[in-house]
Amino acid sequence: SNRHMIALAKHQTFGNQKLIATGRNDYGTLGVSSTDTNTYLYAVDVNPHGLTGKMDLITQIAAVDYGTAVLTSDNELYAWGYCGYRLCGNYSDSDSRAVDPSGNSQYWPQRIWVEGALKDVVITKLRSYYRGFMAISNDNKLFGWGRNEYRALGTTA
């Protein structure tokens, strides 16, 4: 994104992966437990509700202005940061941080709920655009969520 950078780094000695982020941290975009913005590199906080035990399974990363999403090899999507326009793939359309269905605000990765269109779909690609995310399934169907400005999601709603 043009506001933050996130990368997947693999430790040379131990072989385990980490998500490293830096840049603007409005809305918890960096996935750390604060909204401090500076030039330090942060390790994304995986916490017990997020990517714990899944770091080595991350295969793709996508970033938008105030949010980030990742795809794992076991077909799970996680997002964090700004949740307006349902960027976090959850039920909230408020200007809040990664909000789970119980209403708790989070600054760290949360699994995207797949009760709707993504239920039982195998995602092979994850991409981002201005303020939204796109996912392509193994049968080449395109799914999108986020801001629908200029009908970017291909719908009129």
Side-chain angles (χ1 to χ4, degrees):
S1 93
N2 65 358
R3 298 182 185 271
H4 73 290
M5 181 281 303
I6 187 155
L8 192 57
K10 189 165 191 159
H11 193 282
Q12 230 174 354
T13 304
F14 303 112
N16 57 337
Q17 296 186 138
K18 288 193 178 290
L19 283 171
I20 306 297
T22 190
R24 295 217 28 188
N25 195 27
D26 308 37
Y27 306 103
T29 306
L30 299 182
V32 296
S33 58
S34 77
T35 55
D36 294 341
T37 296
N38 56 41
T39 57
Y40 296 116
L41 290 174
Y42 290 102
V44 172
D45 184 358
V46 296
N47 84 71
H49 305 291
L51 285 165
T52 301
K54 300 271 186 180
M55 253 332 147
D56 289 333
L57 300 180
I58 295 173
T59 59
Q60 296 179 44
I61 306 168
V64 296
D65 281 352
Y66 297 112
T68 305
V70 297
L71 174 66
T72 63
S73 60
D74 61 351
N75 197 45
E76 292 182 353
L77 290 164
Y78 292 82
W80 60 95
Y82 181 72
C83 291
Y85 318 116
R86 297 191 175 143
L87 277 174
C88 295
N90 59 18
Y91 303 114
S92 173
D93 198 25
S94 64
D95 293 354
S96 59
R97 284 132 179 98
V99 179
D100 64 30
S102 69
N104 297 324
S105 294
Q106 308 292 335
Y107 291 104
W108 46 75
Q110 293 290 313
R111 185 160 182 222
I112 292 177
W113 297 274
V114 293
E115 298 304 315
L118 290 175
K119 187 171 178 68
D120 300 323
V121 173
V122 176
I123 301 301
T124 59
K125 292 185 176 131
L126 174 66
R127 300 293 185 261
S128 61
Y129 68 93
Y130 173 58
R131 287 207 175 139
F133 297 104
M134 296 283 185
I136 299 175
S137 66
N138 64 340
D139 58 353
N140 292 318
K141 291 183 179 167
L142 181 66
F143 299 87
W145 63 98
R147 189 169 184 176
N148 195 25
E149 188 175 39
Y150 307 114
R151 296 185 182 159
L153 295 174
T155 67
T156 57

